[in-house]
Amino acid sequence: MDKKWVLKPAADPETVSTLASELGIDRVLAELLAQRGINTFEQARAFFRPDLADLHDPFLMKDMDKAVQRLTEAVDKGEKILVYGDYDVDGTTAVALVYSFLLKYTKNLAYYIPDRYDEGYGVSFKGLQWASDNGFSLIITLDCGIKAIEKVEFAKTLGIDMIICDHHLPEDGLPGAVAVLDPKRDDDHYPFDDLSGCGVGFKLVQGYAKQHGIAFEELVPLLDLLAMSIAADLVSVTGENRILAYYGLKQLNTNPHRGLLSMITSANLDPSHITFDDIVFKIGPRLNAAGRMESGRISVELLTAPDQKTADRVAGEINRHNNERKNIDREITREALEMVQNQTCLCHGNVTIVYNPQWHKGVVGIVASRLVEAFFKPAIVLTQSNGLITGSARSIGGFDLYSALETCADLMENFGGHLYAAGLTLKEENLTEFVSRMDAAVEGKILPEMLTPIVNIDAKLDFGQITPKFFRILKQFQPFGPGNNAPVFETDNVYDNGNGRKVGAEGGHLKLELIQENQPYHHIGAIAFGKGEFFDSIADGNPIDVCYSIVENYFRGIANVQLRIKDIREREEII
């Protein structure tokens, strides 16, 4: 599919010149800073040197005083406390973080991860009953609970208090819990509202530590778990999240939890050079695989492993689940694409909707993302579980899928999620009406220009500008993620030096050595995933334009600068 390349507007030239001069950096790097709203030397220093001292006071969050007071009471009285979290990376890292911290101060502690298939997302009546049967009087929910109004009332009838730690958007009313920690509450004026679910749990831990004179240094070893959640849950890497992610990555690269070290090893990664990309594409999917294929509880067992032998054993189990997940994902994606091509899907108009009651519920979200990539329109993949139709929805950039689902709320038993991703369940008798109304809800809302994938380019660059100093400073822009995406550069009129080749399954990718027309002695390595169709033209010596990010590639202990190509544009040779 052709993509539209859009060069970002130039920042104020005077600001760029001042930054370049005061910081002693290339104008392109100064331009990148200005694009991010960093316009002064002091702002640049704070950006390049995140400081834990700049974290916000946890007691600025609404209900934090109530939460810490109730948690203190439970610890002091020896009450049984249950740490309850969702089964994805954000939820399981949150449970591992809070559980690991509290274990130092009480042994009357356990954790609970709901079964994806038996209980579904969030707080369940089954989980609450289990807590009651086992004598728990306080439950801390993590990455879930903000919509659990009926569940909280049920818990009260069982004599159980609840502290909600969530980061999802609340509905009109809030649960009647002892405390509801969620920076997205309308009445909460906490300075940063895009924490992950694990991040909200960390603020609770930070509040407890501050109240009891526990040194912040005792919390630092938990930050690798928090970095995992920030990267995997795709929250913004700005403000407080940037500070937490920066130090979390340092912890992950120097002294990670045993379970994370096992995951790093099983993913064949260099344990001292882990990036956010590694979390998003290598480590996170492995942790998610446990919840998709069996139980998210296995992920928490890994992250709280008492010794390396246990961690390695559980990591091996998770790796097997991940391999199984990839096989199932590949097969269901093939079947879903065939449904669309054969016109046996439920809908392929404004939205793509496919349904097979035999599909594995744990991978439908991944398949929905694949359909969005294939057809560049919102996609919903449905299967059946516990007598209900259940599934996942994914959207394209610029379209609020969650709002579209809200127009069908009366047809669904449950739904939840974010702007571009959501989960849902409904009764089979409502399926036909749901498909019709979802298609109508999307109709006219997606403008023609939204149907062409866009590559946003930060700046044009000559290969000669990619010096060791340039790259050293560029690395300090990390960690990259939403709000601070890896810069994308454009370089025009480049050639392969003749060593380019196809790589990967069926030659789908390209490994190139590129030369710019005006920089004939400056070769630079590049990898182009999914661009195998350009090989013949490139091998014939035809010029191309490329847009790319610049990464550090580690292979057998050797680091090399490499271009990760986002798109290739063939150009006419000018004679």
Side-chain angles (χ1 to χ4, degrees), residues 116-167:
R116 188 184 197 116
Y117 307 104
D118 183 37
E119 298 169 78
Y121 166 79
V123 181
S124 70
F125 288 112
K126 179 179 179 180
L128 294 176
Q129 190 62 58
W130 183 91
S132 176
D133 293 344
N134 287 274
F136 290 92
S137 55
L138 176 64
I139 295 176
I140 302 171
T141 74
L142 295 155
D143 192 34
C144 61
I146 196 63
K147 296 182 179 180
I149 295 174
E150 293 181 6
K151 314 288 176 53
V152 169
E153 294 307 310
F154 178 66
K156 288 179 182 179
T157 68
L158 301 174
I160 298 173
D161 286 339
M162 296 182 69
I163 296 172
I164 305 293
C165 299
D166 205 346
H167 70 131

Coordinates of all heavy atoms in Angstrom, one line a residue, residues 116-167:
R116 N -8.7 -15.2 31.7 CA -9.2 -14.5 30.5 C -10.5 -15.1 29.9 O -11.4 -14.4 29.4 CB -8.1 -14.5 29.4 CG -8.3 -13.6 28.2 CD -7.2 -13.8 27.2 NE -7.3 -12.7 26.3 CZ -6.3 -11.8 26.1 NH1 -5.2 -11.8 26.8 NH2 -6.4 -10.8 25.2
Y117 N -10.6 -16.4 30.0 CA -11.7 -17.1 29.3 C -12.9 -17.3 30.3 O -14.0 -17.3 29.8 CB -11.2 -18.4 28.7 CG -10.0 -18.1 27.8 CD1 -8.7 -18.4 28.3 CD2 -10.2 -17.5 26.6 CE1 -7.6 -18.1 27.4 CE2 -9.1 -17.2 25.8 CZ -7.8 -17.5 26.2 OH -6.7 -17.2 25.4
D118 N -12.6 -17.6 31.5 CA -13.6 -17.9 32.5 C -14.2 -16.7 33.1 O -15.4 -16.6 33.3 CB -13.1 -18.9 33.5 CG -14.1 -19.3 34.5 OD1 -15.3 -19.5 34.1 OD2 -13.8 -19.4 35.7
E119 N -13.4 -15.7 33.4 CA -13.8 -14.5 34.1 C -13.8 -13.2 33.2 O -14.6 -12.3 33.5 CB -12.9 -14.2 35.3 CG -13.0 -15.4 36.3 CD -11.9 -15.2 37.4 OE1 -12.1 -14.4 38.3 OE2 -10.8 -15.9 37.2
G120 N -13.0 -13.2 32.2 CA -12.9 -12.0 31.4 C -12.1 -10.9 32.0 O -11.5 -11.0 33.0
Y121 N -12.2 -9.7 31.4 CA -11.4 -8.6 31.8 C -11.9 -8.0 33.1 O -13.1 -7.9 33.4 CB -11.4 -7.5 30.7 CG -10.8 -6.2 31.2 CD1 -9.5 -5.9 31.3 CD2 -11.7 -5.1 31.6 CE1 -9.0 -4.7 31.8 CE2 -11.3 -3.9 32.0 CZ -9.9 -3.7 32.2 OH -9.4 -2.5 32.6
G122 N -11.0 -7.5 34.0 CA -11.3 -6.7 35.1 C -11.8 -7.5 36.3 O -11.6 -8.7 36.4
V123 N -12.4 -6.8 37.3 CA -12.8 -7.4 38.5 C -14.0 -8.4 38.2 O -14.9 -8.0 37.5 CB -13.3 -6.4 39.5 CG1 -13.7 -7.0 40.8 CG2 -12.1 -5.4 39.8
S124 N -13.9 -9.6 38.8 CA -15.0 -10.6 38.5 C -15.7 -10.9 39.8 O -15.1 -10.9 40.9 CB -14.5 -11.8 37.8 OG -13.7 -12.6 38.8
F125 N -17.0 -11.3 39.7 CA -17.7 -11.8 40.9 C -17.0 -13.1 41.4 O -16.9 -13.3 42.7 CB -19.1 -12.1 40.6 CG -20.0 -10.9 40.4 CD1 -20.5 -10.6 39.1 CD2 -20.3 -10.1 41.4 CE1 -21.2 -9.5 38.9 CE2 -21.0 -8.9 41.2 CZ -21.5 -8.6 40.0
K126 N -16.5 -13.9 40.5 CA -15.8 -15.1 40.9 C -14.5 -14.8 41.8 O -14.3 -15.4 42.8 CB -15.4 -16.0 39.7 CG -14.7 -17.3 40.1 CD -14.3 -18.0 38.8 CE -13.6 -19.3 39.2 NZ -13.2 -20.1 37.9
G127 N -13.8 -13.8 41.3 CA -12.6 -13.4 42.0 C -12.9 -12.9 43.4 O -12.2 -13.2 44.4
L128 N -14.0 -12.1 43.5 CA -14.4 -11.5 44.8 C -14.8 -12.6 45.8 O -14.5 -12.6 47.0 CB -15.5 -10.5 44.6 CG -15.1 -9.2 43.8 CD1 -16.3 -8.4 43.6 CD2 -14.0 -8.5 44.5
Q129 N -15.6 -13.6 45.2 CA -16.0 -14.7 46.1 C -14.8 -15.5 46.6 O -14.8 -16.0 47.7 CB -17.0 -15.6 45.3 CG -17.7 -16.7 46.1 CD -18.5 -16.0 47.2 OE1 -19.4 -15.3 46.9 NE2 -18.2 -16.4 48.5
W130 N -13.8 -15.7 45.7 CA -12.6 -16.4 46.1 C -11.9 -15.7 47.2 O -11.4 -16.3 48.2 CB -11.7 -16.6 44.9 CG -10.4 -17.4 45.2 CD1 -10.3 -18.7 45.0 CD2 -9.2 -16.8 45.7 NE1 -9.0 -19.1 45.4 CE2 -8.3 -17.9 45.8 CE3 -8.7 -15.6 46.0 CZ2 -7.0 -17.8 46.3 CZ3 -7.4 -15.4 46.5 CH2 -6.6 -16.5 46.6
A131 N -11.9 -14.4 47.1 CA -11.2 -13.6 48.1 C -11.9 -13.7 49.5 O -11.3 -13.9 50.5 CB -11.2 -12.1 47.7
S132 N -13.3 -13.7 49.4 CA -14.1 -13.9 50.6 C -13.9 -15.2 51.2 O -13.6 -15.4 52.5 CB -15.5 -13.6 50.3 OG -16.3 -13.9 51.5
D133 N -13.9 -16.3 50.4 CA -13.7 -17.6 50.9 C -12.4 -17.9 51.5 O -12.2 -18.8 52.4 CB -13.9 -18.6 49.7 CG -15.3 -18.7 49.2 OD1 -16.2 -18.2 49.9 OD2 -15.5 -19.2 48.1
N134 N -11.4 -17.1 51.1 CA -10.0 -17.2 51.7 C -9.7 -16.2 52.7 O -8.5 -16.0 53.0 CB -9.0 -17.3 50.5 CG -9.1 -18.6 49.7 OD1 -8.5 -19.6 50.1 ND2 -9.9 -18.6 48.7
G135 N -10.6 -15.4 53.2 CA -10.4 -14.6 54.3 C -9.8 -13.2 54.0 O -9.2 -12.6 55.0
F136 N -9.8 -12.7 52.8 CA -9.2 -11.4 52.5 C -10.2 -10.3 52.8 O -11.4 -10.4 52.5 CB -8.8 -11.3 51.0 CG -7.7 -12.2 50.7 CD1 -7.9 -13.5 50.2 CD2 -6.4 -11.8 50.8 CE1 -6.8 -14.4 49.9 CE2 -5.3 -12.6 50.5 CZ -5.5 -13.9 50.0
S137 N -9.7 -9.3 53.5 CA -10.5 -8.1 53.8 C -10.2 -6.9 53.1 O -10.9 -5.9 53.2 CB -10.4 -7.9 55.4 OG -9.1 -7.7 55.7
L138 N -9.1 -6.9 52.3 CA -8.7 -5.7 51.5 C -8.2 -6.2 50.1 O -7.4 -7.1 50.1 CB -7.6 -4.9 52.2 CG -7.1 -3.7 51.3 CD1 -8.3 -2.7 51.1 CD2 -6.0 -3.0 52.0
I139 N -8.8 -5.6 49.1 CA -8.3 -5.9 47.7 C -7.8 -4.6 47.1 O -8.5 -3.6 47.2 CB -9.5 -6.5 46.9 CG1 -9.9 -7.8 47.4 CG2 -9.0 -6.6 45.4 CD1 -11.1 -8.4 46.6
I140 N -6.6 -4.7 46.5 CA -6.1 -3.6 45.7 C -6.2 -4.0 44.3 O -5.5 -5.0 43.8 CB -4.6 -3.3 46.1 CG1 -4.5 -3.0 47.6 CG2 -4.0 -2.2 45.3 CD1 -3.0 -2.9 48.1
T141 N -7.0 -3.3 43.5 CA -7.0 -3.6 42.0 C -6.0 -2.8 41.3 O -5.8 -1.6 41.6 CB -8.4 -3.4 41.5 OG1 -8.7 -2.0 41.3 CG2 -9.5 -4.0 42.3
L142 N -5.5 -3.3 40.2 CA -4.5 -2.7 39.4 C -4.8 -2.8 38.0 O -5.0 -3.9 37.5 CB -3.1 -3.2 39.8 CG -2.6 -3.0 41.2 CD1 -1.6 -4.0 41.6 CD2 -2.0 -1.6 41.3
D143 N -4.8 -1.7 37.2 CA -5.1 -1.7 35.8 C -6.5 -2.1 35.5 O -6.8 -2.5 34.4 CB -4.1 -2.6 35.0 CG -4.2 -2.4 33.5 OD1 -4.4 -1.2 33.1 OD2 -4.0 -3.3 32.8
C144 N -7.4 -2.1 36.5 CA -8.8 -2.4 36.3 C -9.6 -1.9 37.5 O -9.0 -1.5 38.5 CB -9.0 -3.9 36.2 SG -8.4 -4.9 37.6
G145 N -10.9 -1.9 37.4 CA -11.7 -1.6 38.6 C -12.5 -0.3 38.5 O -13.5 0.0 39.2
I146 N -12.1 0.6 37.5 CA -12.7 1.9 37.5 C -14.2 1.9 37.1 O -15.0 2.8 37.4 CB -12.0 2.9 36.5 CG1 -12.4 4.3 36.8 CG2 -12.2 2.5 35.1 CD1 -12.0 4.9 38.2
K147 N -14.6 0.8 36.4 CA -16.0 0.6 36.1 C -16.7 -0.5 36.9 O -17.9 -0.8 36.6 CB -16.1 0.2 34.6 CG -15.6 1.3 33.6 CD -15.8 0.9 32.2 CE -15.3 2.0 31.2 NZ -15.4 1.6 29.8
A148 N -16.0 -1.0 37.9 CA -16.6 -2.1 38.7 C -17.5 -1.7 39.8 O -17.4 -2.0 41.0 CB -15.4 -2.9 39.3
I149 N -18.5 -0.9 39.4 CA -19.4 -0.3 40.4 C -20.2 -1.4 41.2 O -20.3 -1.4 42.4 CB -20.4 0.7 39.8 CG1 -19.6 1.9 39.3 CG2 -21.4 1.2 40.8 CD1 -20.3 2.9 38.5
E150 N -20.8 -2.3 40.4 CA -21.6 -3.4 41.0 C -20.7 -4.4 41.8 O -21.1 -4.9 42.8 CB -22.3 -4.2 39.9 CG -23.4 -3.4 39.2 CD -24.2 -4.2 38.2 OE1 -23.9 -5.4 38.1 OE2 -25.0 -3.6 37.5
K151 N -19.5 -4.6 41.3 CA -18.6 -5.5 41.9 C -18.1 -5.0 43.3 O -18.0 -5.7 44.3 CB -17.3 -5.8 41.0 CG -17.6 -6.0 39.6 CD -18.3 -7.4 39.3 CE -18.7 -7.6 37.9 NZ -17.6 -7.4 36.9
V152 N -17.9 -3.7 43.3 CA -17.4 -3.1 44.6 C -18.6 -3.2 45.6 O -18.3 -3.5 46.8 CB -17.0 -1.6 44.4 CG1 -16.8 -0.9 45.8 CG2 -15.7 -1.5 43.6
E153 N -19.8 -3.0 45.2 CA -20.9 -3.1 46.1 C -21.1 -4.6 46.6 O -21.4 -4.8 47.8 CB -22.2 -2.7 45.4 CG -22.3 -1.2 45.1 CD -21.9 -0.3 46.3 OE1 -22.6 -0.5 47.4 OE2 -21.1 0.6 46.2
F154 N -20.8 -5.5 45.7 CA -20.9 -6.9 46.1 C -19.8 -7.2 47.1 O -20.0 -8.0 48.1 CB -20.7 -7.8 44.8 CG -20.7 -9.3 45.1 CD1 -21.8 -9.9 45.6 CD2 -19.5 -10.0 44.9 CE1 -21.7 -11.3 45.9 CE2 -19.5 -11.4 45.2 CZ -20.6 -12.0 45.7
A155 N -18.6 -6.7 46.9 CA -17.5 -6.9 47.8 C -17.9 -6.4 49.2 O -17.5 -7.0 50.2 CB -16.2 -6.2 47.3
K156 N -18.6 -5.3 49.3 CA -19.0 -4.8 50.6 C -19.9 -5.8 51.3 O -19.7 -5.9 52.6 CB -19.7 -3.4 50.4 CG -18.8 -2.3 50.0 CD -19.7 -1.0 49.8 CE -18.8 0.2 49.4 NZ -19.7 1.4 49.2
T157 N -20.7 -6.4 50.6 CA -21.6 -7.4 51.3 C -20.8 -8.6 51.8 O -21.3 -9.3 52.7 CB -22.7 -8.0 50.3 OG1 -22.1 -8.7 49.3 CG2 -23.5 -6.8 49.6
L158 N -19.6 -8.8 51.3 CA -18.7 -9.9 51.7 C -17.8 -9.4 52.8 O -16.9 -10.2 53.3 CB -17.9 -10.4 50.5 CG -18.7 -11.0 49.4 CD1 -17.8 -11.4 48.2 CD2 -19.5 -12.2 49.8
G159 N -17.9 -8.1 53.2 CA -17.0 -7.5 54.2 C -15.6 -7.2 53.7 O -14.6 -7.2 54.4
I160 N -15.5 -6.9 52.4 CA -14.2 -6.7 51.8 C -14.1 -5.2 51.3 O -15.0 -4.7 50.6 CB -14.0 -7.6 50.5 CG1 -13.9 -9.0 50.9 CG2 -12.7 -7.2 49.8 CD1 -13.9 -10.0 49.7
D161 N -13.1 -4.5 51.7 CA -12.8 -3.1 51.3 C -12.0 -3.2 50.0 O -11.2 -4.2 49.8 CB -12.1 -2.3 52.3 CG -13.0 -1.9 53.5 OD1 -14.2 -1.9 53.3 OD2 -12.4 -1.6 54.5
M162 N -12.1 -2.2 49.1 CA -11.3 -2.2 47.9 C -10.6 -0.8 47.7 O -11.2 0.2 48.0 CB -12.2 -2.5 46.7 CG -12.8 -3.9 46.8 SD -13.8 -4.4 45.3 CE -12.5 -4.5 44.0
I163 N -9.4 -0.9 47.2 CA -8.7 0.3 46.7 C -8.5 0.1 45.2 O -7.9 -0.9 44.8 CB -7.3 0.4 47.4 CG1 -7.4 0.7 48.9 CG2 -6.5 1.5 46.8 CD1 -6.1 0.6 49.7
I164 N -9.1 1.0 44.5 CA -9.0 0.9 43.0 C -7.8 1.7 42.5 O -7.6 2.9 42.8 CB -10.3 1.5 42.3 CG1 -11.5 0.8 42.9 CG2 -10.2 1.4 40.8 CD1 -11.7 -0.6 42.5
C165 N -6.9 1.0 41.7 CA -5.8 1.7 41.0 C -6.0 1.5 39.5 O -5.7 0.3 39.1 CB -4.4 1.2 41.5 SG -4.1 1.4 43.3
D166 N -6.4 2.5 38.8 CA -6.7 2.3 37.4 C -6.2 3.5 36.6 O -6.0 4.6 37.2 CB -8.2 2.0 37.2 CG -8.5 1.2 35.9 OD1 -7.6 1.1 35.1 OD2 -9.6 0.7 35.8
H167 N -6.2 3.4 35.3 CA -5.8 4.5 34.5 C -6.7 4.7 33.3 O -6.5 5.4 32.4 CB -4.4 4.4 34.0 CG -4.1 3.3 33.0 ND1 -3.4 3.5 31.8 CD2 -4.5 2.0 33.0 CE1 -3.3 2.4 31.1 NE2 -4.0 1.5 31.8

